Amino acid sequence: MLIRKYTILVYLLIVSFSPLFGQHQLTLTNEEEKEIKQGETVELFSNSVKAAEKKLAPYLEKGVDVPTPKDLAGGYTHSQHKKNYFLMQKAGVLFQITGNEAYAEFIKNTLEKYSAQYKNWDRHPSKKSYARGKIFWQCLNDANWLVYTSQAYGSIYSWLSPKERKKLNNELFRPMADFLSVETPRFFNRLHNHSTWANAGVGMIGLVMEDEDLVQKALYGLPITDEKVKDNDGGSITKEGQKEAGFLAQIDHSFSPDGYYTEGPYYQRYAMYPFLIFALALENQQPSLEIFKYREGVLLKAVDALLQQTNASGEFFPLNDAQKGMSYYSRELQLSLALGYYYGKQDKGLLGLIKEQQRVPLNYAGYIAARDINKGLAQPFKKHSIYFSDGPKGDKGGIGVLRSDEVELIMKFSQHGMGHGHFDRLSYSLNFGKEEVLQDYGAARYVNIHQKDGGGYLKENKTWAKQTIAHNTVVVGKRSQFKGNVKKADSISPEEYIFSTDKENVQVVSAKESNAYQEVDLHRTLVLIKDSSFENPLVLDLFNVQLDTAQLLQLPYHYHGQLMFSSVDLQRATTLKPLGEKDGYQHLWNVAEGEVKGAFNQINWFDKHRFYTLNMATTEGESITLAELGANDPHFNLRRDPSIILNKQGQKGDNWMVSILETHGSYSTVTEASKNTYSTIKDVFISFQNNEYITVNFTNKQNEEWTFILSTVDNSDVKEHQLSLKDRVIKWDGPFVLFKNEIDQ
Amino acid sequence: MLIRKYTILVYLLIVSFSPLFGQHQLTLTNEEEKEIKQGETVELFSNSVKAAEKKLAPYLEKGVDVPTPKDLAGGYTHSQHKKNYFLMQKAGVLFQITGNEAYAEFIKNTLEKYSAQYKNWDRHPSKKSYARGKIFWQCLNDANWLVYTSQAYGSIYSWLSPKERKKLNNELFRPMADFLSVETPRFFNRLHNHSTWANAGVGMIGLVMEDEDLVQKALYGLPITDEKVKDNDGGSITKEGQKEAGFLAQIDHSFSPDGYYTEGPYYQRYAMYPFLIFALALENQQPSLEIFKYREGVLLKAVDALLQQTNASGEFFPLNDAQKGMSYYSRELQLSLALGYYYGKQDKGLLGLIKEQQRVPLNYAGYIAARDINKGLAQPFKKHSIYFSDGPKGDKGGIGVLRSDEVELIMKFSQHGMGHGHFDRLSYSLNFGKEEVLQDYGAARYVNIHQKDGGGYLKENKTWAKQTIAHNTVVVGKRSQFKGNVKKADSISPEEYIFSTDKENVQVVSAKESNAYQEVDLHRTLVLIKDSSFENPLVLDLFNVQLDTAQLLQLPYHYHGQLMFSSVDLQRATTLKPLGEKDGYQHLWNVAEGEVKGAFNQINWFDKHRFYTLNMATTEGESITLAELGANDPHFNLRRDPSIILNKQGQKGDNWMVSILETHGSYSTVTEASKNTYSTIKDVFISFQNNEYITVNFTNKQNEEWTFILSTVDNSDVKEHQLSLKDRVIKWDGPFVLFKNEIDQ
Ligand SMILES: [Ca+2]
Ligand SMILES: [Ca+2]
Ligand SMILES: [Ca+2]
Ligand SMILES: [Mg+2]
Ligand SMILES: [Mg+2]
Ligand SMILES: [Mg+2]
Ligand SMILES: [Mg+2]
């Protein structure tokens, strides 16, 4: 081992330990345990206890197998070891809560089996990982094991004899902690969600064993070296210029000040567990660290951020690599919800979500949440428009979520998100109630389904799902942003331009991106307009592409449902060919094409009892392509989803694509009654444009007219603007204004 | 008018009137009215009253417009007259129940507006219909008007002065009744659901006015002539050899003895109202007719038949021309459910359905149903395996529904179903829980959605939805059954061969069809097998095509979801072309193709959290085509649905297509846990076949083996069979047997 040079002195200077060492139990202290035992029986909590007892019952007598590690994920030894740590963790809290020593015996017996063999295990035979584990093929899983098992060990530590403890400490846990840290330093010091598990595991077992050395390593990492190594998935092991490591550095680097996790909510859900379980252990054992207040309480902010990034069904927005359908009903969220409630602001909306889960984690926060639900305190969880900055300092773009009535709009202009990022800058997706209107494809993957490449990422994840054309944003010259280069994309982010949600009738999110394409500046502004003249809030889209040279611009809309009406005369292809050869185009069939007619065009579709119309300000020469996924997909890995693509031959200078998407009407197959099947919008047009402003007018069938003005160069909230339009002089403050025109205008 | 030769004498001989004339109220008698007023308040009933009051409230003061008829369906005058009759009918029962004379005044005023103008109205200006109405473009709608309005008139008849009555009788109602009957005899005498409305309307107004002449015409029709005329939809006006007409003849001809309606459940839902509302009026005014016992109670059987033809969401099986999603929650079903309960066997399952509807019709049956629901008598409605014979005598094929656990299989071998029929003989569709597994496309139509040809049948209904390839049944030589000739299809039906549901573990439906293709005999047997070795019931399919000459056979499976695994090496087409030029093939893209490998092949797909595998016994040279809808569909009228097509070059003699469709496993996007994603079936093969028998064996991964034997020529239930297989002699009774083989076999 090369790196053994740190000294314990450095750390002792940094944190002064609170003298709670000696308690050992990580997630349920003696006092909490007592209070739960003496307190009233709370249904939700006791049901969760019963469920855990039921899971353990088959193993209390016969114990579990501890096989010699051999298999990869999905194989027997992998699954068995995974099962073992889940069972031991449950047994630990059950021992604390019920006092039944059978649970403690179960843990002891299992640990002794591990202890007897661990010293004989070398690194796992599979060489797939840059950081091979001993129990599993990669250290990540060994770290998972330790995070769960340290909890179990803490629960029985005082119950064990000193001799038993000493043996387990010396023969199993300290060697494992060393293995995951000093013996695998590149893994332990990496700023990455996998390494967070290692930091947490090493720290937690340190707390149990009163091993301050391990706790310090966990919190602050090992000394940094400048080795350059690649992960097996191609990601760089050390961050450029990385100066710190360990758990606190993970918190610093993983979350923006708003609690946004740069890989997006799907991965955040998984990553939250080690952050929160180690934080809980620290809060219990080293309260002076005030871990839940660290960085202005970013861990608890992250819980709220995660929950706000869900649709009306509780499913996470499918940003970056994300399998659709993962939701806050996931097992992983239980801990987040309970800790978010108890250590956070006692948000009764969190109780509402916990109640829906019908289970709580078996710790004190879970008990309190169950008790308060019993008291009838639960309320529906409230979502609202919200901005999440990205980057540790919050200056690397972000995600803007606009919500109004049943409309939910998510615009993405965050950092790329490393290996799991998509080339999707300035894209947006749109939900209405529980339905997707404009989708982000998510990941091309069927997690854990063997038929589909063993459940791993499919080839089409890279060739389609990550590509720019797979997102609702402009593609320039049929190439993806950054020509698909992750490293370049990771190096620089888009910029937030406006996020304004103070006015209920006009909410705006706007961002600029000047690096994704050379000599191209993108600026998109999405406006959610609520007005009693319209059934539902409208989405006004102002997309500007500034070009140095003429280039083809294509703006796709990934919709669902059936085309109902098009003012564009769409000619259906008699044979279908792919739309291109690379950057995702090779997967799209050319279903139909037609040139726009005049300066205003509509495409109207129907999906699940509702109608949608894309109302476009158009110019001559623009055309519409209808496409469907499925070309060059030999293994049927892609869904057969449709899209509408607006084609525009971009010229040097400003190129505006302006539209209003209206959600309207209804249809019932039971009453067979249809209502408002056509859009209320009659016209959308750019009424003025220069280097500083663009004004868009739109009218409805009642001949009402509105004007939206955007300052394209000054986003100050207080700046006073003045603009002469026809015979009027308009004055306003801030970067935009929306007003309804007098009828005589 | 040519036909005025009937005499009233004929009818008087047939039925002796019960002397209830004088009561006038059609659907709620004096006694019932009194009982409701004096009885307890029942929530569901009083809520329904309140809902009706709310609908009437805006019109009680200001009345309604009675415009000069001019528009077609969807236009103002059409909608207004339709609204008027709904309002009057409601006002009538409200007057009876509440005693509030404002409702009576509303009806009187509205009727006087009609009365003042009716004599001036000629037939409707539109010439679209062969039977033009006066108030509407077709007599059907005038008859609707009369069916509803006669109820309103009956409700206030006694309240009106004799002078007022006389005027309305003479100037409005008798002229209208004459207009719909003797002045439009071809319409009135037709055996067709439209004419049922005319029979009912004329009969109901006859009952109100104590006009026995009208009642007799309604019940028995006008004298038959032998004029041959075509309907505007191409159907023949007079049935070949038709000898009777009128309401009772409609009952005779519309329903099979099992209550099956030959056009299928979607149309039956609409047709039931005039049958039941006139029946209710007859039951109240002429109880001696015992209309609900007519033909062994076929009207009430029809109610049950309709309800049994629904999926787990209550949606009607989309047989023939049917828009999917229409369900027993439809307004039209309210009357059926309440009468079915009260006049039928007080099935508490019907109460369960009525409770879900949250409303009852405002008649006595509705009151009693509401009262009994209040008593807590409602139970879940139970569905079961059931056979519906088709044809007035029940000898024209039928529909076989097999249900086991969550599997629901519908095999169709009924009559063609006239103008709304599909060329779908021996097809089946399959549901699992609330999901379609193998679909019938339904109709290509968006009822009442203007964008889609004004909501009428789309061209693709004929070119796709009705064609044989659009159904899960064999297509011979790429041509639809009967080459798409409705008249030929209507002239002869398939034959039921087996319908056996006594044994829970092996339910069988089997039918033969020998006329759809020349020199081709089709015989399909579907077996629903429940065995503890399998997660869900299996569908074993034995399809035999006996050919005189070699012909291409194609068996499509119209599935939903994503292809997961195929033992057939499917080569995806690089450009998509239509699969053919006519008979529906022109709408299918050739997505992929591959030859089968060996004697057993599997195609496995995933849809909504569940997996499905088609396990096929195959022979060399067979191939699989994957197809998708959408070719030659210039207006995007078709859904983009996929299908799997088995291609087999049929030879002279027997050609067997044998498979087992297994529903298995599960997947959750929340836990990301997958279970049993592959089929348990390991092999399916024909182990023996001769002119009398076929035996199919199948094995699973636990090496268990089953044998199914079918007698292909003798369907007697009692016949004793004996067959020597290998070294064993098998003996059984009846046309089939399923047994599990001893392990050493
Ligand atoms: Ca990785
Ligand atoms: Ca630039
Ligand atoms: Ca024949
Ligand atoms: Mg994406
Ligand atoms: Mg990412
Ligand atoms: Mg059909
Ligand atoms: Mg039909």
Side-chain angles (χ1 to χ4, degrees), chain A residues 621-634:
Chain A
E622 289 178 11
S623 69
I624 293 290
T625 299
L626 295 190
E628 270 172 44
L629 261 181
N632 287 297
D633 176 21

Side-chain angles (χ1 to χ4, degrees), chain A residues 266 323 447-448 667 672 674, chain B residues 266 323 447-448 667 672 674:
Chain A
Y266 177 80
Q323 179 165 278
V447 181
N448 291 327
Y667 184 68
E672 294 186 336
S674 64
Chain B
Y266 177 81
Q323 180 167 278
V447 181
N448 291 329
Y667 185 69
E672 293 186 339
S674 64

Side-chain angles (χ1 to χ4, degrees), chain B residues 628-641:
Chain B
E628 270 172 44
L629 261 180
N632 287 297
D633 176 22
H635 303 296
F636 305 90
N637 287 338
L638 295 171
R639 300 189 301 265
R640 300 179 297 276
D641 294 346

